[in-house]
Amino acid sequence: MCNAEVPVLTLDGPSGAGKGTVARLVSESLHWHLLDSGAIYRVLALSAERAGVAMDDVTALLGIARTMVVDFRLDERGKLQVLLDGDDLTKAIRSETCGKRASQVAALPAVRGALLQCQRAFRRPPGLVADGRDMGTVVFPDALVKIYLTASVEERARRRYKQLMEQGISGTIRPILREIEARDVRDCTRSVSPLVPAPDAVILDTTGKSVEAVVNMVLSQIRRCSGYTL
Ligand code: DC
């Protein structure tokens, strides 16, 4: 199977729409690889911060982006771990500060271009579930199934808050809600790869839906496509 024949499911949408959880469960169910592209932007932002590089220093950011080797693996409890050159950055990249910086570096066209190959390298047999903002529009335009997950801002803020609490990171809902709104504006209005559904994406609003219900809807979309049998 050549790379272009490897089936891809893209899951795009704003922060907190449930993409991460749904992507992990669908990839487990299908035994497909998983790409958390937001984590790649977060790792870049964290690496830059640790190296004393400003989030608008394009030359220095490109130097890091072109050489970093990011990998994902599931731990014994089925949680996704994010590794940079073997170092576990899973917790460090999930802070709100890191998310904000990731959004800043993600707005730089040259940085996005430099990370394309790194993301496409995750397309390996038997298939790939790719979670992000521009998976269906830019990175994998020929994906088998494209889904755009969304949910109300309030619900997304509540989910993010719960997630942070579970990770032992303290905070309150109001600043999280404001940060999500600000990030939505940045992600939707940037000139390169703005957050928009691909014209051929199926739009799923997850507000008030259980994770299980959303996973089943996504799996049934895959079953419906190209006679793909699971
Ligand atoms: O999904 P996330 O919150 O981990 O993503 C962090 C930031 O990275 C988010 O503000 C937008 C950006 N991002 C992007 O621009 N394109 C992607 N494919 C994934 C994330």
Side-chain angles (χ1 to χ4, degrees):
M1 196 187 259
C2 80
N3 238 23
E5 289 168 354
V6 174
V8 178
L9 161 71
T10 59
L11 280 172
D12 289 306
S15 284
K19 299 180 309 259
T21 309
V22 172
R24 187 173 47 77
L25 292 173
V26 170
S27 79
E28 272 176 22
S29 164
L30 298 172
H31 302 290
W32 285 9
H33 296 281
L34 179 60
L35 165 63
D36 174 354
S37 60
I40 291 182
Y41 288 96
R42 285 171 183 264
V43 167
L44 174 59
L46 183 67
S47 306
E49 189 206 341
R50 287 181 173 177
V53 167
M55 299 302 139
D56 58 355
D57 182 344
V58 177
T59 310
L61 287 170
L62 288 182
I64 302 173
R66 290 191 181 121
T67 52
M68 66 183 202
V69 179
V70 181
D71 211 354
F72 302 107
R73 77 169 176 225
L74 294 179
D75 69 12
E76 63 284 351
R77 288 170 303 142
K79 293 252 182 213
L80 188 73
Q81 289 187 312
V82 183
L83 309 170
L84 171 66
D85 301 323
D87 275 353
D88 185 355
L89 298 186
T90 314
K91 194 167 172 198
I93 60 164
R94 292 298 162 199
S95 71
E96 287 305 297
T97 314
C98 189
K100 188 173 168 188
R101 292 194 173 124
S103 177
Q104 289 165 349
V105 300
L108 302 169
V111 167
R112 301 196 74 85
L115 291 177
L116 271 181
Q117 266 321 104
C118 158
Q119 296 174 86
R120 288 182 178 148
F122 283 85
R123 187 174 194 168
R124 294 190 296 262
L128 175 69
V129 178
D131 150 5
R133 304 293 192 290
D134 60 345
M135 298 294 98
T137 49
V138 176
V139 184
F140 302 108
D142 61 339
L144 174 71
V145 179
K146 300 180 185 181
I147 310 261
Y148 187 88
L149 284 189
T150 184
S152 70
V153 172
E154 293 75 18
E155 173 132 346
R156 291 191 281 130
R158 273 195 301 275
R159 288 177 188 167
R160 182 67 87 197
Y161 174 76
K162 200 167 154 247
Q163 225 174 38
L164 292 174
M165 292 295 111
E166 282 166 4
Q167 289 162 9
I169 301 170
S170 60
T172 53
I173 289 214
R174 196 176 289 273
I176 294 174
L177 193 133
R178 275 202 297 268
E179 181 51 39
I180 286 182
E181 283 174 335
R183 204 183 307 171
D184 279 357
V185 171
R186 263 200 308 274
D187 293 345
C188 294
T189 57
R190 66 178 172 229
S191 58
V192 179
S193 298
L195 172 61
V196 283
D200 49 349
V202 174
I203 298 178
L204 285 183
D205 188 335
T206 67
T207 311
K209 291 197 176 68
S210 69
V211 171
E212 193 190 14
V214 178
V215 167
N216 285 335
M217 286 159 94
V218 172
L219 289 173
S220 69
Q221 283 296 331
I222 298 178
R223 284 191 204 101
R224 212 172 290 157
C225 274
S226 319
Y228 196 84
T229 48
L230 301 174

